[in-house]
Short mmCIF file of all heavy atoms in Angstrom, two decimals:
data_model
loop_
_atom_site.label_atom_id
_atom_site.label_comp_id
_atom_site.label_asym_id
_atom_site.label_seq_id
_atom_site.Cartn_x
_atom_site.Cartn_y
_atom_site.Cartn_z
N VAL A 1 47.72 74.23 160.65
CA VAL A 1 47.22 73.43 159.55
C VAL A 1 48.31 73.16 158.52
O VAL A 1 49.30 73.90 158.43
CB VAL A 1 46.04 74.13 158.82
CG1 VAL A 1 44.90 74.45 159.78
CG2 VAL A 1 46.50 75.41 158.10
N PHE A 2 48.11 72.09 157.75
CA PHE A 2 48.81 71.91 156.49
C PHE A 2 47.94 72.54 155.40
O PHE A 2 46.71 72.61 155.53
CB PHE A 2 49.01 70.43 156.17
CG PHE A 2 50.01 69.73 157.03
CD1 PHE A 2 49.61 68.99 158.13
CD2 PHE A 2 51.38 69.81 156.74
CE1 PHE A 2 50.54 68.34 158.93
CE2 PHE A 2 52.32 69.17 157.54
CZ PHE A 2 51.89 68.43 158.64
N CYS A 3 48.56 72.96 154.31
CA CYS A 3 47.78 73.50 153.19
C CYS A 3 48.48 73.14 151.88
O CYS A 3 49.69 73.31 151.75
CB CYS A 3 47.63 75.01 153.31
SG CYS A 3 46.55 75.73 152.05
N GLY A 4 47.70 72.65 150.94
CA GLY A 4 48.22 72.30 149.62
C GLY A 4 47.06 72.11 148.66
O GLY A 4 45.94 72.54 148.94
N THR A 5 47.31 71.46 147.56
CA THR A 5 46.25 71.17 146.60
C THR A 5 45.62 69.82 146.92
O THR A 5 46.09 69.07 147.76
CB THR A 5 46.82 71.14 145.17
OG1 THR A 5 47.75 70.06 145.08
CG2 THR A 5 47.52 72.45 144.82
N GLU A 6 44.55 69.53 146.22
CA GLU A 6 43.91 68.22 146.37
C GLU A 6 44.87 67.10 146.00
O GLU A 6 44.88 66.03 146.62
CB GLU A 6 42.66 68.16 145.48
CG GLU A 6 41.76 66.97 145.73
CD GLU A 6 40.77 67.20 146.86
OE1 GLU A 6 40.42 68.37 147.12
OE2 GLU A 6 40.34 66.21 147.46
N VAL A 7 45.70 67.36 145.00
CA VAL A 7 46.67 66.35 144.55
C VAL A 7 47.71 66.09 145.64
O VAL A 7 48.05 64.94 145.94
CB VAL A 7 47.36 66.78 143.24
CG1 VAL A 7 48.52 65.85 142.90
CG2 VAL A 7 46.35 66.80 142.10
N SER A 8 48.21 67.14 146.27
CA SER A 8 49.22 66.94 147.31
C SER A 8 48.62 66.23 148.52
O SER A 8 49.30 65.42 149.17
CB SER A 8 49.85 68.28 147.72
OG SER A 8 48.93 69.11 148.40
N TYR A 9 47.35 66.51 148.83
CA TYR A 9 46.69 65.79 149.92
C TYR A 9 46.55 64.31 149.59
O TYR A 9 46.82 63.44 150.43
CB TYR A 9 45.31 66.40 150.18
CG TYR A 9 44.46 65.60 151.14
CD1 TYR A 9 44.79 65.53 152.49
CD2 TYR A 9 43.35 64.88 150.69
CE1 TYR A 9 44.01 64.78 153.36
CE2 TYR A 9 42.59 64.13 151.56
CZ TYR A 9 42.91 64.08 152.90
OH TYR A 9 42.15 63.34 153.77
N GLN A 10 46.15 64.02 148.35
CA GLN A 10 46.00 62.62 147.93
C GLN A 10 47.34 61.89 148.04
O GLN A 10 47.41 60.75 148.51
CB GLN A 10 45.46 62.56 146.50
CG GLN A 10 45.30 61.15 145.94
CD GLN A 10 46.52 60.70 145.15
OE1 GLN A 10 47.14 61.50 144.45
NE2 GLN A 10 46.87 59.43 145.26
N ARG A 11 48.42 62.56 147.64
CA ARG A 11 49.74 61.94 147.71
C ARG A 11 50.16 61.70 149.15
O ARG A 11 50.80 60.69 149.47
CB ARG A 11 50.76 62.81 146.98
CG ARG A 11 50.58 62.80 145.46
CD ARG A 11 51.43 63.85 144.81
NE ARG A 11 51.37 63.75 143.35
CZ ARG A 11 51.77 64.72 142.51
NH1 ARG A 11 52.26 65.86 143.00
NH2 ARG A 11 51.68 64.54 141.21
N ALA A 12 49.83 62.62 150.04
CA ALA A 12 50.17 62.44 151.45
C ALA A 12 49.43 61.25 152.04
O ALA A 12 50.01 60.43 152.77
CB ALA A 12 49.84 63.71 152.24
N MET A 13 48.15 61.12 151.72
CA MET A 13 47.35 60.03 152.26
C MET A 13 47.75 58.69 151.64
O MET A 13 47.44 57.63 152.19
CB MET A 13 45.86 60.30 152.02
CG MET A 13 45.33 61.50 152.79
SD MET A 13 45.45 61.30 154.59
CE MET A 13 44.23 60.02 154.87
N ALA A 14 48.41 58.73 150.49
CA ALA A 14 48.78 57.50 149.79
C ALA A 14 50.18 57.00 150.16
O ALA A 14 50.66 56.02 149.59
CB ALA A 14 48.70 57.72 148.28
N ILE A 15 50.85 57.65 151.12
CA ILE A 15 52.18 57.17 151.53
C ILE A 15 52.04 55.76 152.07
O ILE A 15 51.27 55.52 153.01
CB ILE A 15 52.79 58.10 152.60
CG1 ILE A 15 53.02 59.51 152.03
CG2 ILE A 15 54.10 57.53 153.11
CD1 ILE A 15 53.48 60.52 153.05
N PRO A 16 52.75 54.79 151.50
CA PRO A 16 52.59 53.39 151.92
C PRO A 16 53.38 53.07 153.20
O PRO A 16 54.29 53.81 153.59
CB PRO A 16 53.14 52.61 150.73
CG PRO A 16 54.19 53.51 150.17
CD PRO A 16 53.70 54.92 150.38
N VAL A 17 53.00 51.97 153.80
CA VAL A 17 53.74 51.50 154.97
C VAL A 17 55.19 51.19 154.60
O VAL A 17 56.12 51.48 155.36
CB VAL A 17 53.05 50.27 155.58
CG1 VAL A 17 53.91 49.65 156.69
CG2 VAL A 17 51.67 50.65 156.12
N GLY A 18 55.40 50.60 153.44
CA GLY A 18 56.75 50.28 152.99
C GLY A 18 56.77 49.99 151.51
O GLY A 18 55.71 49.94 150.85
N THR A 19 57.95 49.80 150.96
CA THR A 19 58.06 49.56 149.52
C THR A 19 57.37 48.28 149.09
O THR A 19 56.92 48.17 147.95
CB THR A 19 59.55 49.50 149.12
OG1 THR A 19 60.21 48.51 149.90
CG2 THR A 19 60.22 50.86 149.33
N SER A 20 57.27 47.32 149.97
CA SER A 20 56.60 46.06 149.64
C SER A 20 55.29 45.89 150.40
O SER A 20 54.73 44.79 150.43
CB SER A 20 57.53 44.87 149.94
OG SER A 20 57.89 44.86 151.31
N ASP A 21 54.81 46.97 151.01
CA ASP A 21 53.56 46.93 151.78
C ASP A 21 52.69 48.09 151.32
O ASP A 21 52.95 49.24 151.65
CB ASP A 21 53.85 47.03 153.26
CG ASP A 21 52.61 46.76 154.13
OD1 ASP A 21 51.48 46.86 153.59
OD2 ASP A 21 52.78 46.46 155.32
N ALA A 22 51.66 47.80 150.54
CA ALA A 22 50.84 48.85 149.93
C ALA A 22 49.82 49.45 150.88
O ALA A 22 49.10 50.39 150.51
CB ALA A 22 50.11 48.29 148.70
N ARG A 23 49.73 48.95 152.12
CA ARG A 23 48.83 49.58 153.07
C ARG A 23 49.23 51.03 153.30
O ARG A 23 50.40 51.37 153.27
CB ARG A 23 48.83 48.81 154.39
CG ARG A 23 48.18 47.44 154.34
CD ARG A 23 48.31 46.75 155.68
NE ARG A 23 49.73 46.58 156.06
CZ ARG A 23 50.11 46.27 157.29
NH1 ARG A 23 49.23 46.11 158.26
NH2 ARG A 23 51.41 46.12 157.55
N ARG A 24 48.22 51.87 153.55
CA ARG A 24 48.50 53.29 153.73
C ARG A 24 48.95 53.58 155.15
O ARG A 24 48.34 53.12 156.12
CB ARG A 24 47.26 54.13 153.39
CG ARG A 24 46.88 54.24 151.91
CD ARG A 24 47.90 53.75 150.96
NE ARG A 24 47.65 54.11 149.57
CZ ARG A 24 48.28 53.57 148.56
NH1 ARG A 24 49.18 52.61 148.76
NH2 ARG A 24 48.03 53.96 147.33
N LEU A 25 49.99 54.39 155.27
CA LEU A 25 50.60 54.66 156.57
C LEU A 25 49.62 55.35 157.52
O LEU A 25 49.60 55.05 158.71
CB LEU A 25 51.84 55.53 156.38
CG LEU A 25 52.71 55.77 157.60
CD1 LEU A 25 53.27 54.45 158.12
CD2 LEU A 25 53.86 56.72 157.26
N TYR A 26 48.81 56.26 156.97
CA TYR A 26 47.88 57.00 157.82
C TYR A 26 46.48 56.42 157.77
O TYR A 26 45.49 57.15 157.77
CB TYR A 26 47.90 58.49 157.47
CG TYR A 26 48.97 59.19 158.24
CD1 TYR A 26 50.28 59.22 157.76
CD2 TYR A 26 48.72 59.76 159.47
CE1 TYR A 26 51.29 59.82 158.49
CE2 TYR A 26 49.72 60.36 160.21
CZ TYR A 26 51.01 60.39 159.71
OH TYR A 26 52.00 60.98 160.44
#
């Protein structure tokens, strides 16, 4: 498993496809 806080999970899920593409990578 990964383990972190709710904030770190939110940041992981918010990783974008690219700097000019706001779609989420995952």
Side-chain angles (χ1 to χ4, degrees):
V1 303
F2 289 98
C3 186
T5 64
E6 191 85 26
V7 171
S8 68
Y9 171 70
Q10 179 266 323
R11 289 170 174 164
M13 294 298 291
I15 296 174
V17 172
T19 55
S20 59
D21 189 341
R23 290 177 300 165
R24 287 349 192 194
L25 187 62
Y26 273 85

